[in-house]
Amino acid sequence: MFALIDGNSFYCSCERAFDPTLRNKPIAVLSNNDGCAIARTNEAKDLGLKMGEPWHLASKRPELKPMIWMSSNYALYGDMSRRMYEVLCEFAPRVDPYSIDEMFLDFEGLPCDTVAFAARIRDRVRQVAKIPTCVGLGPTKTIAKLANKLAKHDRSGPGVCDLNDPAERIRRYADIPLNEVWGIGPATAAKLARRGIDSVAAFIRMPLDETRDLLTVVGARTHAELRGIVCFPFSVAPQTRKSIAVTRSLGRPVMTWVEMEQAVASYVTRAAEKLRRHGLHVTAMQVFIRTNEFNADPKYSNQSTFEIEPTADTMALIADALRAARQIWRDGFRYAKAGVVLLDLKEPGDLPEEMFPSRDPDRSARLMAAMDAVNLRYGRRTVTPATAGVQQGWSMRRQRLSPRYTTHFDEMLNVRA
DNA sequence: TCTGGGGTCCTAGGACCC
DNA sequence: TCTGGGGTCCTAGGACCC
């Protein structure tokens, strides 16, 4: 049996955990660059704020006047997620984090009332990690996800929904639209709707071979899971990462190569830090730049993907990335976004020994270790490659940022008593 | 002036091989 | 009028997730 626990309006709840004046208020947390709403409290949903609504439009709507808008503070959310994880580990032998705010728990063979147990976990997370949650229970991950959603929709309910009983499940399935199901997105829902299938009940009545023909193995797995057949078991070993991306909208249009060079170099710097934190080397890279997709600016978009000598060295990666970026750069455009993706990540042990390395690997490793250590101790970007620039006029907007309560001493909460 | 970022998996189709 | 069959590998793009 699976349990899925999921933070309610997670980012907003994290903000509330440290600022009680935000309770019962309509809040939205904005995406990077203060672009659009990516988390809303129930109060915000009730005012009619939609997921993904651009802030510059939403903030002009009169009915959204009472909204409190906040920039996203990922340092805080990551930390709160860790706290939640630690609490869950007290209860279940296996906890499988699925996203920053969702974790699957292994409830197999629990000798107790699982619904009551789930309620206790919820209380504890609320008390210790200060995050309100809902829990869904089911024989498969897909059903547990669905149960979680039902628990969330029932705002005045107990916060726990159990879909283990097959009869109960069939009853509920009749009223659940397909877009509520994990793994069924807009394209699949539309495909099924064209065949007159618009509820979970109708979907699971579809014959398996027909499902597979229409939706390939992906849809067939979801189909089976909804019938109670496990296709997504608990992961045995944590799989290693396959790619690392750092892509950003620029805070204002960039028109000079000097600025683009800085942006790309600083994205590479960040990506390389992540790479080393995972203890990996990279053997291929992608760089892209593009103009604004929404406005009337002349459009240009290009990317370059290429193989590189395996490395985790920031300087080497910057050199490669800038060479590629220079090739796709065209003068005369207003660039709005750029990004760097590290592909084909490898464990260093899985790489063949370089016969004629272009760098001294030991020297590079020592330099990177020193850089990471300084930045860990004194804060990100204390030491940074010169190409990444100091004046970053193009960097993203975050005008409504909350303090980094949990990760910076000088921003910690002060309590006077 | 302002519309996110970071992932995974699967498939179709081309290139290539014998 | 006729033009094999079977296999692998790679990549671009689609779809989905939060």
Side-chain angles (χ1 to χ4, degrees):
Chain A
M1 191 202 305
F2 295 91
L4 178 75
I5 185 161
D6 182 325
N8 301 345
S9 314
F10 185 70
Y11 296 170
C12 298
S13 297
C14 291
E15 299 289 351
R16 276 178 174 166
F18 288 90
D19 184 352
T21 66
L22 296 175
R23 273 181 216 160
N24 306 315
K25 299 262 174 65
I27 311 169
V29 170
L30 300 169
S31 64
N32 271 339
N33 229 21
D34 293 342
C36 59
I38 54 168
R40 307 111 81 214
T41 59
N42 281 339
E43 294 82 356
K45 291 174 193 171
D46 291 343
L47 287 181
L49 176 70
K50 295 276 171 285
M51 188 69 170
E53 228 182 295
W55 175 51
H56 73 99
L57 298 177
S59 57
K60 292 195 185 76
R61 284 172 54 191
E63 62 275 29
L64 297 180
K65 195 89 181 165
M67 287 294 311
I68 297 171
W69 307 98
M70 314 192 73
S71 299
S72 38
N73 186 344
Y74 289 103
L76 176 66
Y77 312 149
D79 215 48
M80 298 300 279
S81 177
R82 253 188 314 279
R83 291 184 182 192
M84 186 166 135
Y85 176 78
E86 280 161 17
V87 173
L88 298 179
C89 288
E90 297 169 17
F91 289 88
R94 282 199 294 190
V95 180
D96 203 358
Y98 172 66
S99 73
I100 193 163
D101 71 324
E102 287 172 81
M103 300 173 199
F104 284 105
L105 307 184
D106 188 355
F107 266 31
E108 205 51 61
L110 282 181
C112 60
D113 177 347
T114 44
V115 173
F117 188 61
R120 265 181 55 210
I121 298 180
R122 249 189 111 225
D123 289 344
R124 183 84 179 148
V125 171
R126 165 124 229 183
Q127 189 193 341
V128 177
K130 308 289 179 214
I131 298 291
T133 58
C134 284
V135 185
L137 302 173
T140 66
K141 284 186 171 177
T142 305
I143 295 174
K145 284 276 287 184
L146 200 55
N148 183 282
K149 222 166 218 192
L150 296 181
K152 257 194 193 152
H153 289 333
D154 183 10
R155 285 193 200 167
S156 53
V160 180
C161 173
D162 182 5
L163 284 183
N164 274 296
D165 178 51
E168 163 73 1
R169 211 153 61 217
I170 300 300
R171 213 165 30 245
R172 307 284 307 253
Y173 276 179
D175 303 323
I176 306 176
L178 277 168
N179 57 22
E180 301 271 292
V181 175
W182 187 40
I184 297 186
T188 308
K191 225 183 236 182
L192 289 166
R194 278 196 290 277
R195 301 197 160 205
I197 295 167
D198 56 0
S199 72
V200 178
F203 180 50
I204 64 164
R205 278 197 300 268
M206 234 176 123
L208 181 61
D209 52 345
E210 213 176 294
T211 312
R212 180 185 274 268
D213 285 350
L214 190 68
L215 307 176
T216 78
V217 295
V218 185
R221 281 201 284 251
T222 299
H223 187 261
E225 282 246 319
L226 286 168
R227 289 179 166 193
I229 300 158
V230 174
C231 298
F232 310 118
F234 255 94
S235 43
V236 191
Q239 78 263 35
T240 55
R241 241 198 226 251
K242 303 202 164 60
S243 66
I244 289 173
V246 177
T247 70
R248 297 265 184 287
S249 293
L250 300 153
R252 58 166 166 73
V254 158
M255 301 187 67
T256 64
W257 167 247
V258 182
E259 284 191 307
M260 182 57 83
E261 190 176 38
Q262 282 186 11
V264 170
S266 67
Y267 298 171
V268 173
T269 305
R270 184 78 197 97
E273 283 168 7
K274 291 194 203 176
L275 181 70
R276 293 192 293 273
R277 190 146 43 78
H278 286 91
L280 296 169
H281 280 48
V282 56
T283 65
M285 195 188 320
Q286 179 179 82
V287 178
F288 71 82
I289 57 177
R290 74 165 69 120
T291 52
N292 190 314
E293 313 165 60
F294 302 98
N295 66 13
D297 283 354
K299 303 274 172 284
Y300 176 72
S301 169
N302 207 346
Q303 64 91 22
S304 169
T305 309
F306 49 95
E307 290 185 19
I308 54 174
E309 193 180 306
T311 185
D313 185 296
T314 300
M315 312 304 166
L317 291 169
I318 288 178
D320 288 331
L322 288 181
R323 200 175 312 121
R326 189 72 192 91
Q327 274 168 15
I328 55 176
W329 168 269
R330 299 286 178 273
D331 283 325
F333 289 100
R334 293 158 56 81
Y335 292 93
K337 189 168 181 174
V340 171
V341 190
L342 308 184
L343 304 158
D344 275 337
L345 309 185
K346 300 270 195 293
E347 303 275 355
D350 293 345
L351 288 164
E353 185 101 7
E354 202 66 40
M355 211 133 45
F356 305 105
S358 54
R359 293 174 299 277
D360 174 353
D362 294 329
R363 185 170 174 275
S364 158
R366 285 200 306 274
L367 178 59
M368 291 302 118
M371 231 170 78
D372 291 339
V374 170
N375 286 334
L376 179 66
R377 177 148 182 195
Y378 298 103
R380 189 176 289 171
R381 301 192 58 238
T382 301
V383 188
T384 173
T387 23
V390 183
Q391 297 289 330
Q392 298 189 331
W394 44 266
S395 72
M396 69 174 171
R397 290 182 302 272
R398 295 168 95 188
Q399 294 172 359
R400 328 182 70 85
L401 193 61
S402 55
R404 291 164 293 186
Y405 299 109
T406 61
T407 50
H408 283 66
F409 275 115
D410 45 349
E411 297 181 17
M412 245 163 56
L413 209 56
N414 291 315
V415 178
R416 291 193 194 86

Short mmCIF file of all heavy atoms in Angstrom, two decimals, chain A residues 265-277 312-318 362-388:
data_model
loop_
_atom_site.label_atom_id
_atom_site.label_comp_id
_atom_site.label_asym_id
_atom_site.label_seq_id
_atom_site.Cartn_x
_atom_site.Cartn_y
_atom_site.Cartn_z
N ALA A 265 28.07 32.46 -18.84
CA ALA A 265 29.14 32.02 -17.94
C ALA A 265 28.60 31.80 -16.53
O ALA A 265 28.99 30.84 -15.86
CB ALA A 265 30.27 33.04 -17.92
N SER A 266 27.70 32.64 -16.08
CA SER A 266 27.22 32.44 -14.71
C SER A 266 26.25 31.26 -14.63
O SER A 266 26.20 30.57 -13.62
CB SER A 266 26.61 33.72 -14.14
OG SER A 266 25.45 34.05 -14.82
N TYR A 267 25.50 30.98 -15.70
CA TYR A 267 24.65 29.79 -15.69
C TYR A 267 25.52 28.52 -15.67
O TYR A 267 25.21 27.56 -14.98
CB TYR A 267 23.73 29.75 -16.92
CG TYR A 267 22.75 30.90 -17.02
CD1 TYR A 267 22.00 31.09 -18.17
CD2 TYR A 267 22.57 31.79 -15.97
CE1 TYR A 267 21.10 32.14 -18.27
CE2 TYR A 267 21.67 32.84 -16.06
CZ TYR A 267 20.95 33.01 -17.22
OH TYR A 267 20.06 34.04 -17.33
N VAL A 268 26.60 28.56 -16.44
CA VAL A 268 27.49 27.40 -16.45
C VAL A 268 28.08 27.20 -15.06
O VAL A 268 28.17 26.07 -14.56
CB VAL A 268 28.64 27.59 -17.47
CG1 VAL A 268 29.66 26.46 -17.35
CG2 VAL A 268 28.10 27.65 -18.89
N THR A 269 28.47 28.30 -14.43
CA THR A 269 29.05 28.22 -13.09
C THR A 269 28.10 27.52 -12.12
O THR A 269 28.48 26.62 -11.38
CB THR A 269 29.35 29.64 -12.56
OG1 THR A 269 30.19 30.30 -13.52
CG2 THR A 269 30.03 29.61 -11.22
N ARG A 270 26.84 27.92 -12.19
CA ARG A 270 25.82 27.32 -11.32
C ARG A 270 25.61 25.84 -11.65
O ARG A 270 25.52 25.00 -10.75
CB ARG A 270 24.52 28.11 -11.51
CG ARG A 270 23.39 27.71 -10.64
CD ARG A 270 23.56 28.26 -9.24
NE ARG A 270 22.67 27.53 -8.33
CZ ARG A 270 23.06 26.52 -7.58
NH1 ARG A 270 24.33 26.12 -7.58
NH2 ARG A 270 22.21 25.90 -6.80
N ALA A 271 25.55 25.54 -12.95
CA ALA A 271 25.33 24.15 -13.37
C ALA A 271 26.50 23.26 -12.93
O ALA A 271 26.30 22.14 -12.48
CB ALA A 271 25.15 24.08 -14.88
N ALA A 272 27.71 23.80 -13.04
CA ALA A 272 28.89 23.02 -12.67
C ALA A 272 28.91 22.76 -11.16
O ALA A 272 29.34 21.69 -10.71
CB ALA A 272 30.15 23.75 -13.11
N GLU A 273 28.42 23.71 -10.38
CA GLU A 273 28.32 23.48 -8.93
C GLU A 273 27.40 22.31 -8.62
O GLU A 273 27.71 21.44 -7.81
CB GLU A 273 27.80 24.75 -8.23
CG GLU A 273 28.84 25.84 -8.07
CD GLU A 273 28.24 27.19 -7.65
OE1 GLU A 273 27.03 27.24 -7.35
OE2 GLU A 273 29.00 28.18 -7.65
N LYS A 274 26.26 22.31 -9.29
CA LYS A 274 25.31 21.20 -9.10
C LYS A 274 25.96 19.88 -9.51
O LYS A 274 25.79 18.86 -8.85
CB LYS A 274 24.05 21.40 -9.95
CG LYS A 274 23.15 22.53 -9.53
CD LYS A 274 21.82 22.36 -10.24
CE LYS A 274 21.06 23.66 -10.36
NZ LYS A 274 19.80 23.50 -11.12
N LEU A 275 26.66 19.93 -10.63
CA LEU A 275 27.31 18.74 -11.17
C LEU A 275 28.27 18.14 -10.14
O LEU A 275 28.24 16.94 -9.86
CB LEU A 275 28.07 19.12 -12.44
CG LEU A 275 28.82 18.02 -13.17
CD1 LEU A 275 27.83 17.06 -13.83
CD2 LEU A 275 29.75 18.61 -14.24
N ARG A 276 29.09 18.98 -9.55
CA ARG A 276 30.06 18.50 -8.56
C ARG A 276 29.38 18.04 -7.29
O ARG A 276 29.82 17.09 -6.65
CB ARG A 276 31.10 19.59 -8.25
CG ARG A 276 32.00 19.91 -9.44
CD ARG A 276 33.19 20.76 -9.04
NE ARG A 276 32.83 22.09 -8.60
CZ ARG A 276 32.67 23.14 -9.40
NH1 ARG A 276 32.86 23.00 -10.71
NH2 ARG A 276 32.33 24.31 -8.93
N ARG A 277 28.29 18.69 -6.93
CA ARG A 277 27.56 18.25 -5.73
C ARG A 277 27.05 16.82 -5.92
O ARG A 277 26.96 16.05 -4.97
CB ARG A 277 26.41 19.22 -5.44
CG ARG A 277 25.75 19.01 -4.12
CD ARG A 277 25.27 20.31 -3.50
NE ARG A 277 24.61 21.18 -4.46
CZ ARG A 277 23.37 21.01 -4.90
NH1 ARG A 277 22.66 19.97 -4.48
NH2 ARG A 277 22.84 21.86 -5.75
N ALA A 312 34.40 18.21 -14.79
CA ALA A 312 33.50 18.88 -13.86
C ALA A 312 34.08 20.26 -13.55
O ALA A 312 33.78 20.86 -12.53
CB ALA A 312 33.33 18.06 -12.58
N ASP A 313 34.94 20.73 -14.43
CA ASP A 313 35.69 21.96 -14.20
C ASP A 313 34.93 23.16 -14.78
O ASP A 313 34.66 23.23 -15.98
CB ASP A 313 37.07 21.83 -14.87
CG ASP A 313 37.96 23.03 -14.57
OD1 ASP A 313 37.62 24.15 -14.99
OD2 ASP A 313 39.01 22.81 -13.93
N THR A 314 34.61 24.09 -13.90
CA THR A 314 33.84 25.27 -14.31
C THR A 314 34.50 26.03 -15.45
O THR A 314 33.84 26.38 -16.44
CB THR A 314 33.67 26.22 -13.11
OG1 THR A 314 32.97 25.53 -12.07
CG2 THR A 314 32.88 27.46 -13.49
N MET A 315 35.80 26.24 -15.33
CA MET A 315 36.50 27.06 -16.35
C MET A 315 36.45 26.38 -17.71
O MET A 315 36.21 27.03 -18.73
CB MET A 315 37.96 27.30 -15.97
CG MET A 315 38.19 27.75 -14.55
SD MET A 315 37.27 29.24 -14.17
CE MET A 315 37.43 29.22 -12.40
N ALA A 316 36.69 25.08 -17.72
CA ALA A 316 36.67 24.36 -18.99
C ALA A 316 35.28 24.42 -19.61
O ALA A 316 35.12 24.65 -20.82
CB ALA A 316 37.08 22.90 -18.77
N LEU A 317 34.26 24.25 -18.76
CA LEU A 317 32.89 24.27 -19.27
C LEU A 317 32.51 25.65 -19.79
O LEU A 317 31.81 25.78 -20.79
CB LEU A 317 31.92 23.83 -18.16
CG LEU A 317 32.03 22.35 -17.79
CD1 LEU A 317 31.26 22.04 -16.52
CD2 LEU A 317 31.53 21.48 -18.93
N ILE A 318 32.97 26.69 -19.10
CA ILE A 318 32.68 28.05 -19.57
C ILE A 318 33.27 28.26 -20.95
O ILE A 318 32.61 28.79 -21.86
CB ILE A 318 33.21 29.11 -18.58
CG1 ILE A 318 32.35 29.11 -17.32
CG2 ILE A 318 33.22 30.49 -19.21
CD1 ILE A 318 32.82 30.09 -16.25
N ASP A 362 44.12 16.61 -11.56
CA ASP A 362 44.26 16.81 -10.11
C ASP A 362 44.21 18.28 -9.76
O ASP A 362 43.59 18.69 -8.79
CB ASP A 362 45.58 16.20 -9.63
CG ASP A 362 45.57 14.69 -9.77
OD1 ASP A 362 44.46 14.12 -9.67
OD2 ASP A 362 46.63 14.10 -10.02
N ARG A 363 44.89 19.06 -10.57
CA ARG A 363 44.93 20.49 -10.31
C ARG A 363 43.51 21.06 -10.42
O ARG A 363 43.07 21.86 -9.59
CB ARG A 363 45.86 21.16 -11.33
CG ARG A 363 46.07 22.62 -11.08
CD ARG A 363 47.19 23.16 -11.96
NE ARG A 363 47.27 24.60 -11.80
CZ ARG A 363 46.53 25.47 -12.48
NH1 ARG A 363 45.67 25.03 -13.38
NH2 ARG A 363 46.63 26.77 -12.26
N SER A 364 42.81 20.64 -11.46
CA SER A 364 41.44 21.10 -11.67
C SER A 364 40.56 20.71 -10.47
O SER A 364 39.81 21.54 -9.96
CB SER A 364 40.89 20.48 -12.95
OG SER A 364 39.49 20.48 -12.94
N ALA A 365 40.68 19.47 -10.03
CA ALA A 365 39.84 19.00 -8.92
C ALA A 365 40.13 19.79 -7.65
O ALA A 365 39.21 20.15 -6.91
CB ALA A 365 40.09 17.51 -8.69
N ARG A 366 41.40 20.10 -7.42
CA ARG A 366 41.75 20.86 -6.20
C ARG A 366 41.20 22.28 -6.26
O ARG A 366 40.67 22.79 -5.29
CB ARG A 366 43.28 20.90 -6.03
CG ARG A 366 43.87 19.58 -5.52
CD ARG A 366 45.25 19.82 -4.90
NE ARG A 366 46.14 20.52 -5.81
CZ ARG A 366 46.91 19.93 -6.73
NH1 ARG A 366 46.87 18.63 -6.87
NH2 ARG A 366 47.69 20.65 -7.50
N LEU A 367 41.32 22.88 -7.44
CA LEU A 367 40.82 24.25 -7.60
C LEU A 367 39.31 24.32 -7.39
O LEU A 367 38.79 25.17 -6.67
CB LEU A 367 41.18 24.78 -8.99
CG LEU A 367 40.69 26.19 -9.32
CD1 LEU A 367 41.23 27.21 -8.34
CD2 LEU A 367 41.08 26.57 -10.75
N MET A 368 38.61 23.36 -7.99
CA MET A 368 37.15 23.34 -7.87
C MET A 368 36.73 23.10 -6.42
O MET A 368 35.79 23.71 -5.92
CB MET A 368 36.54 22.26 -8.78
CG MET A 368 36.67 22.56 -10.26
SD MET A 368 35.89 24.13 -10.70
CE MET A 368 37.29 25.03 -11.30
N ALA A 369 37.44 22.19 -5.76
CA ALA A 369 37.12 21.89 -4.36
C ALA A 369 37.31 23.13 -3.50
O ALA A 369 36.48 23.43 -2.62
CB ALA A 369 37.99 20.73 -3.86
N ALA A 370 38.37 23.87 -3.79
CA ALA A 370 38.64 25.09 -3.01
C ALA A 370 37.54 26.12 -3.26
O ALA A 370 37.02 26.75 -2.32
CB ALA A 370 40.00 25.65 -3.39
N MET A 371 37.17 26.28 -4.52
CA MET A 371 36.13 27.24 -4.87
C MET A 371 34.80 26.88 -4.18
O MET A 371 34.15 27.74 -3.59
CB MET A 371 35.92 27.20 -6.38
CG MET A 371 35.97 28.55 -7.04
SD MET A 371 35.99 28.40 -8.84
CE MET A 371 34.29 28.05 -9.21
N ASP A 372 34.45 25.60 -4.26
CA ASP A 372 33.19 25.18 -3.64
C ASP A 372 33.21 25.39 -2.14
O ASP A 372 32.22 25.80 -1.54
CB ASP A 372 32.93 23.70 -3.97
CG ASP A 372 32.60 23.49 -5.44
OD1 ASP A 372 32.19 24.47 -6.10
OD2 ASP A 372 32.76 22.35 -5.93
N ALA A 373 34.36 25.13 -1.53
CA ALA A 373 34.47 25.27 -0.08
C ALA A 373 34.29 26.73 0.34
O ALA A 373 33.57 27.04 1.29
CB ALA A 373 35.81 24.73 0.41
N VAL A 374 34.93 27.62 -0.39
CA VAL A 374 34.81 29.06 -0.06
C VAL A 374 33.36 29.51 -0.23
O VAL A 374 32.80 30.20 0.62
CB VAL A 374 35.74 29.90 -0.97
CG1 VAL A 374 35.43 31.39 -0.82
CG2 VAL A 374 37.19 29.63 -0.63
N ASN A 375 32.75 29.09 -1.32
CA ASN A 375 31.38 29.54 -1.59
C ASN A 375 30.38 28.93 -0.61
O ASN A 375 29.36 29.54 -0.30
CB ASN A 375 30.99 29.21 -3.03
CG ASN A 375 31.65 30.15 -4.02
OD1 ASN A 375 31.99 31.27 -3.67
ND2 ASN A 375 31.85 29.68 -5.24
N LEU A 376 30.68 27.73 -0.15
CA LEU A 376 29.80 27.11 0.85
C LEU A 376 29.89 27.89 2.15
O LEU A 376 28.89 28.17 2.80
CB LEU A 376 30.22 25.65 1.08
CG LEU A 376 29.38 24.90 2.11
CD1 LEU A 376 27.95 24.73 1.60
CD2 LEU A 376 29.97 23.54 2.43
N ARG A 377 31.11 28.27 2.50
CA ARG A 377 31.31 28.92 3.80
C ARG A 377 30.87 30.38 3.79
O ARG A 377 30.23 30.84 4.72
CB ARG A 377 32.80 28.82 4.15
CG ARG A 377 33.11 29.53 5.43
CD ARG A 377 34.23 28.85 6.17
NE ARG A 377 34.46 29.54 7.42
CZ ARG A 377 35.53 29.38 8.15
NH1 ARG A 377 36.46 28.53 7.75
NH2 ARG A 377 35.66 30.03 9.27
N TYR A 378 31.22 31.10 2.73
CA TYR A 378 30.96 32.54 2.74
C TYR A 378 29.80 32.96 1.85
O TYR A 378 29.53 34.15 1.70
CB TYR A 378 32.23 33.29 2.34
CG TYR A 378 33.36 33.05 3.30
CD1 TYR A 378 34.41 32.18 3.00
CD2 TYR A 378 33.36 33.68 4.55
CE1 TYR A 378 35.43 31.95 3.89
CE2 TYR A 378 34.38 33.45 5.46
CZ TYR A 378 35.42 32.58 5.12
OH TYR A 378 36.41 32.35 6.01
N GLY A 379 29.14 31.97 1.27
CA GLY A 379 27.96 32.32 0.47
C GLY A 379 28.23 32.18 -1.02
O GLY A 379 29.34 32.43 -1.49
N ARG A 380 27.18 31.80 -1.73
CA ARG A 380 27.27 31.57 -3.16
C ARG A 380 27.81 32.82 -3.85
O ARG A 380 27.46 33.94 -3.52
CB ARG A 380 25.88 31.24 -3.68
CG ARG A 380 25.85 30.76 -5.09
CD ARG A 380 24.44 30.37 -5.48
NE ARG A 380 24.04 29.12 -4.82
CZ ARG A 380 22.79 28.67 -4.86
NH1 ARG A 380 21.86 29.34 -5.47
NH2 ARG A 380 22.50 27.54 -4.26
N ARG A 381 28.67 32.63 -4.80
CA ARG A 381 29.25 33.70 -5.62
C ARG A 381 30.24 34.59 -4.85
O ARG A 381 30.48 35.73 -5.23
CB ARG A 381 28.16 34.56 -6.29
CG ARG A 381 27.25 33.73 -7.20
CD ARG A 381 26.35 34.57 -8.08
NE ARG A 381 27.09 35.46 -8.92
CZ ARG A 381 26.95 36.79 -8.93
NH1 ARG A 381 26.09 37.36 -8.12
NH2 ARG A 381 27.67 37.52 -9.72
N THR A 382 30.79 34.06 -3.76
CA THR A 382 31.89 34.78 -3.11
C THR A 382 33.10 34.74 -4.06
O THR A 382 33.74 35.76 -4.32
CB THR A 382 32.26 34.12 -1.78
OG1 THR A 382 31.12 34.11 -0.93
CG2 THR A 382 33.39 34.87 -1.09
N VAL A 383 33.39 33.56 -4.56
CA VAL A 383 34.40 33.42 -5.60
C VAL A 383 33.69 33.00 -6.86
O VAL A 383 32.92 32.04 -6.86
CB VAL A 383 35.43 32.31 -5.27
CG1 VAL A 383 36.56 32.34 -6.28
CG2 VAL A 383 35.94 32.44 -3.87
N THR A 384 33.97 33.73 -7.94
CA THR A 384 33.26 33.41 -9.17
C THR A 384 34.17 33.72 -10.36
O THR A 384 35.02 34.61 -10.26
CB THR A 384 31.94 34.22 -9.23
OG1 THR A 384 31.34 34.04 -10.49
CG2 THR A 384 32.17 35.70 -9.02
N PRO A 385 34.04 32.96 -11.43
CA PRO A 385 34.90 33.23 -12.59
C PRO A 385 34.67 34.66 -13.10
O PRO A 385 33.53 35.13 -13.11
CB PRO A 385 34.42 32.22 -13.63
CG PRO A 385 33.72 31.16 -12.86
CD PRO A 385 33.15 31.83 -11.65
N ALA A 386 35.73 35.31 -13.53
CA ALA A 386 35.62 36.71 -13.95
C ALA A 386 34.65 36.90 -15.11
O ALA A 386 33.94 37.89 -15.18
CB ALA A 386 37.01 37.24 -14.35
N THR A 387 34.58 35.90 -16.00
CA THR A 387 33.68 36.02 -17.15
C THR A 387 32.22 36.14 -16.73
O THR A 387 31.40 36.65 -17.49
CB THR A 387 33.78 34.79 -18.07
OG1 THR A 387 34.28 33.70 -17.31
CG2 THR A 387 34.64 35.07 -19.27
N ALA A 388 31.89 35.61 -15.54
CA ALA A 388 30.49 35.66 -15.10
C ALA A 388 30.09 37.07 -14.69
O ALA A 388 28.92 37.36 -14.53
CB ALA A 388 30.26 34.68 -13.96
#
